[in-house]
């Protein structure tokens, strides 16, 4: 709106009669300097200044404030303990360690309606060796936060627009809440950010790269099964890239097949594990 008003006033001023130019050395010299000012020499307005701020320092400023704030106010959600039960079960390799609620499934295992993948992630770093059970998932959330912004910046090609969309997602969706309130949604959001950052990046497409994409996709499914549709949404991008690299002779058939297997294996394993656990609990 400010830009529109400025352009209208500037157009009107072009058609207005100009007064006689002041000669150097008289009191109108300052007026001459002001009239001769061009767009290049005019001081930037508030919108231009804000855009420049976000382009130059906004990334560091916003991310630093958010990351520090997340670590200060991090908290568990109401069902956090249920995922800790799954972590204990993985740590001891004992399904009976899920809990002692006295509720059993028809197959004779403790009944749990909470995602096993979240407990698996919690158990990975030796979760019960430390005192702060929220530390590791909070670190993962912060990594996901950073990669989400970098993906937005790559897609929008403009730091100002990227931060604008980032803030809108933080405020108007559950994304912000689940970054500092740890639950299965928190890990799913982090792995979604990692997954889409990888498949839209220009990183070297080695077999290890596709394995990493598959692991991220597998954790998305195991932490929040219904979000697996986003893993499927990313598959056409990878398949199109495979076809392009095969046509350009950058990948042999055996290498392409190995990469596909490495990508699919963690996802198939996550789907199979989800089916088994759902069978146990029904």
């Amino acid at each position: 709106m400010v830009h529109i008003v400025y352009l209208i006033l500037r157009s009107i001023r072009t058609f207005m009669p100009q007064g006689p130019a002041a000669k150097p050395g008289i009191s109108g010299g300052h007026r001459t300097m002001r009239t001769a000012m061009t767009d290049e020499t005019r001081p930037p307005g508030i919108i231009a200044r804000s855009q420049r701020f976000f382009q130059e320092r906004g990334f560091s400023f916003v991310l630093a404030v958010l990351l520090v704030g997340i670590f200060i106010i991090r908290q568990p959600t109401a069902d956090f303990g249920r995922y800790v039960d799954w972590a204990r079960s993985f740590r001891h390799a004992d399904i009976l360690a899920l809990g002692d609620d006295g509720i059993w499934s028809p197959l004779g295992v403790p009944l749990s309606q909470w995602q096993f993948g979240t407990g698996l992630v919690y158990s990975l770093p030796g979760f019960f060796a430390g005192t702060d059970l929220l530390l590791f998932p909070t670190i993962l959330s912060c990594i996901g936060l950073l990669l989400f912004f970098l993906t937005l910046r790559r897609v929008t090609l403009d730091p100002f627009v990227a931060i604008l969309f980032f803030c809108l997602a933080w405020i108007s969706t559950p994304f912000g809440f689940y970054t500092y309130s740890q639950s299965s949604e928190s890990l799913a959001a982090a792995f979604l950010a990692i997954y889409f950052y990888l498949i839209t990046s220009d990183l070297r497409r080695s077999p290890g790269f596709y394995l990493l994409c598959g692991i991220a996709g597998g954790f998305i499914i195991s932490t929040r099964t219904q979000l697996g549709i986003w893993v499927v949404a990313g598959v056409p991008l990878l398949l199109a890239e495979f076809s392009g690299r095969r046509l350009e002779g950058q990948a042999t058939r055996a290498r392409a097949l190995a990469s596909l297997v490495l990508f699919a294996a963690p996802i198939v394993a996550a789907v199979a594990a989800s089916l088994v656990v759902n069978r146990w609990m029904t």
Side-chain angles (χ1 to χ4, degrees):
M1 188 66 186
V2 175
H3 283 307
I4 296 174
V5 173
Y6 166 72
L7 291 173
I8 294 173
L9 293 177
R10 186 180 172 191
S11 304
I12 293 174
R13 199 175 79 176
T14 21
F15 294 102
M16 291 179 61
Q18 302 292 328
K23 297 180 180 179
I26 62 175
S27 60
H30 294 293
R31 189 179 307 149
T32 305
M33 295 289 294
R34 190 177 298 112
T35 353
M37 188 176 290
T38 62
D39 287 340
E40 289 76 14
T41 58
R42 179 177 288 106
I46 185 170
I47 294 181
R49 288 179 181 178
S50 62
Q51 287 179 340
R52 183 178 301 174
F53 168 79
F54 280 116
Q55 289 173 357
E56 294 175 357
R57 294 179 293 274
F59 171 76
S60 303
F61 176 76
V62 173
L63 262 295
V65 170
L66 283 178
L67 295 181
V68 171
I70 287 169
F71 272 94
I72 291 176
I73 64 175
R74 65 183 185 274
Q75 62 182 10
T77 53
D79 55 357
F80 183 80
R82 300 293 186 174
Y83 302 115
V84 174
D85 290 340
W86 269 114
R88 185 183 302 109
S89 177
F90 279 110
R91 290 282 292 170
H92 296 289
D94 183 7
I95 190 66
L96 299 179
L98 265 179
D100 53 356
D101 292 341
I103 304 176
W104 297 75
S105 76
L107 293 183
V109 298
L111 184 65
S112 177
Q113 300 176 357
W114 290 266
Q115 292 288 143
F116 72 93
T118 306
L120 174 61
V121 174
Y122 286 178
S123 68
L124 292 179
F127 209 59
F128 297 98
T131 55
D132 187 356
L133 300 181
L134 293 171
L135 182 60
F136 181 62
T138 303
I139 291 174
L140 284 178
S141 293
C142 290
I143 292 173
L145 195 71
L146 176 63
L147 296 183
F148 175 61
F149 177 84
L150 293 178
T151 305
L152 282 177
R153 183 166 181 174
R154 182 187 297 123
V155 172
T156 60
L157 302 177
D158 187 331
F160 181 79
V161 176
I163 291 184
L164 179 63
F165 277 103
F166 180 89
C167 294
L168 286 175
W170 175 272
I171 295 171
S172 59
T173 72
F175 173 63
F177 172 77
Y178 282 116
T179 305
Y180 62 86
S181 299
Q182 292 303 318
S183 184
S184 63
E185 292 86 352
S186 310
L187 290 180
F191 286 118
L192 271 172
I194 294 171
Y195 180 73
F196 279 101
Y197 174 80
L198 289 172
I199 66 175
T200 58
S201 71
D202 53 358
L203 296 174
R204 180 174 175 270
R205 294 324 201 226
S206 64
F209 168 84
Y210 292 104
L211 176 61
L212 194 59
C213 290
I215 291 173
F219 274 122
I220 292 171
I221 294 171
S222 61
T223 54
R224 206 70 183 165
T225 307
Q226 61 267 39
L227 295 181
I229 189 65
W230 291 104
V231 178
V232 177
V235 170
L237 294 175
L238 295 174
L239 292 179
E241 184 183 351
F242 270 122
S243 302
R245 293 178 66 211
R246 288 282 297 120
L247 290 175
E248 295 172 7
Q250 297 179 6
T252 63
R253 180 176 300 177
R255 187 181 179 88
L257 181 61
S259 299
L260 278 174
V261 170
L262 288 173
F263 171 73
I267 295 176
V268 172
V271 172
S274 298
L275 292 175
V276 169
V277 172
N278 288 341
R279 177 69 185 95
W280 284 349
M281 302 302 168
T282 55

